[in-house]
Amino acid sequence: MNALSSLQNRIAQLRMSHQLGAAFAVVLILMAALGGVATLALNHVEAQAEGLSAKWLAGVGHLSAARTVLGDVRDLEVKHSRTSDKSYHSEYEEKITAGTQEFNRVLTAYQALPLSSADEAKLVDDLAKAWAAYQKAMNQVVALGKEKKQTDAADISDGAGSMAVDEAMGALAALTKFNFEGADAAAERARATHRNALISVGALL
């Protein structure tokens, strides 16, 4: 109590110019602290926004494209297994080749994204394995179809081909769910950073 009174007396004894200078210095310190807190918060929010765009939203885009391509390739492969007309075979094979290349491109693009965990890495590996299994079955279907062995081609298409496609679609669905959950978590972290920044700024004010 005595120490506080002594400090108050000393401040009172200061010249007005000194008092104003001290008050101004305190304001500057508070403004610097406020600016530092705001800048730090903005940097955190920016990092979360970049993560949403560069990782999660990009991932969902690649997976959506992969699902569309896989569906198109599967449709062409089934048609190939059911027809003996070589003119159709050539058309289907050309489109299957283009679809296969596009799926590989999209899968590679997704694999190039930073993987967030071992769980995501496993899901990507599951997708790659299912896609490889489907390609193997699809190549058999195409080869048998060109030999006019439509019954054998249809058997593989309906058996191994169908199973591999289901597994690939399941892996795509699991990865898509994982990405949406990751995006939600990143958005929540950004909101928490924003709330904490408001609290800190309010405390300084």
Side-chain angles (χ1 to χ4, degrees), residues 70 73 100 103-104 107 126-135 138 168:
L70 180 58
V73 170
T100 298
F103 190 97
N104 287 333
L107 179 57
D126 290 343
L127 173 59
K129 288 179 179 178
W131 170 240
Y134 178 59
Q135 284 182 286
M138 180 173 56

Side-chain angles (χ1 to χ4, degrees), residues 59-60 63-64 67 110 171-181:
V60 170
L63 295 171
S64 177
R67 186 183 299 104
Y110 187 92
L172 284 169
L175 268 173
T176 300
K177 180 175 181 290
F178 186 93
N179 275 260
F180 275 121
E181 290 175 349

Side-chain angles (χ1 to χ4, degrees):
M1 189 70 176
N2 292 333
L4 179 60
S5 298
S6 177
L7 178 61
Q8 290 174 339
N9 289 333
R10 290 185 179 182
I11 292 175
Q13 292 172 2
L14 290 174
R15 293 181 180 179
M16 181 60 67
S17 60
H18 291 170
Q19 292 181 19
L20 290 175
F24 186 65
V26 171
V27 171
L28 287 178
I29 292 172
L30 289 175
M31 290 299 294
L34 181 61
V37 170
T39 300
L40 184 62
L42 286 174
N43 287 339
H44 280 301
V45 171
E46 182 181 10
Q48 296 297 336
E50 288 179 357
L52 279 169
S53 176
K55 163 59 179 172
W56 303 114
L57 297 183
V60 170
H62 292 323
L63 295 171
S64 177
R67 186 183 299 104
T68 298
V69 172
L70 180 58
D72 291 343
V73 170
R74 170 61 173 169
D75 182 59
L76 291 166
E77 172 256 311
V78 170
K79 289 179 178 178
H80 193 289
S81 71
R82 264 68 176 178
T83 182
S84 58
D85 190 327
K86 287 189 175 182
S87 63
Y88 282 114
H89 279 174
S90 297
E91 177 185 348
Y92 294 151
E93 288 162 22
E94 182 178 342
K95 292 180 179 179
I96 286 173
T97 297
T100 298
Q101 292 173 345
E102 177 61 12
F103 190 97
N104 287 333
R105 185 194 68 78
V106 173
L107 179 57
T108 299
Y110 187 92
Q111 291 170 327
L113 296 174
L115 299 182
S116 62
S117 67
D119 289 338
E120 184 180 13
K122 182 181 182 306
L123 291 174
V124 174
D125 187 56
D126 290 343
L127 173 59
K129 288 179 179 178
W131 170 240
Y134 178 59
Q135 284 182 286
K136 180 179 178 180
M138 180 173 56
N139 290 336
Q140 291 176 327
V141 168
V142 170
L144 288 169
K146 292 170 71 173
E147 295 174 5
K148 295 188 177 181
K149 297 180 179 179
Q150 269 63 51
T151 300
D152 293 338
D155 286 343
I156 293 177
S157 178
D158 295 340
S162 178
M163 183 180 299
V165 165
D166 288 344
E167 290 177 355
M169 285 295 189
L172 284 169
L175 268 173
T176 300
K177 180 175 181 290
F178 186 93
N179 275 260
F180 275 121
E181 290 175 349
D184 287 341
E188 178 54 36
R189 288 193 295 272
R191 286 191 291 269
T193 299
H194 180 256
R195 287 194 299 268
N196 291 335
L198 290 178
I199 293 171
S200 298
V201 170
L204 287 173
L205 293 176

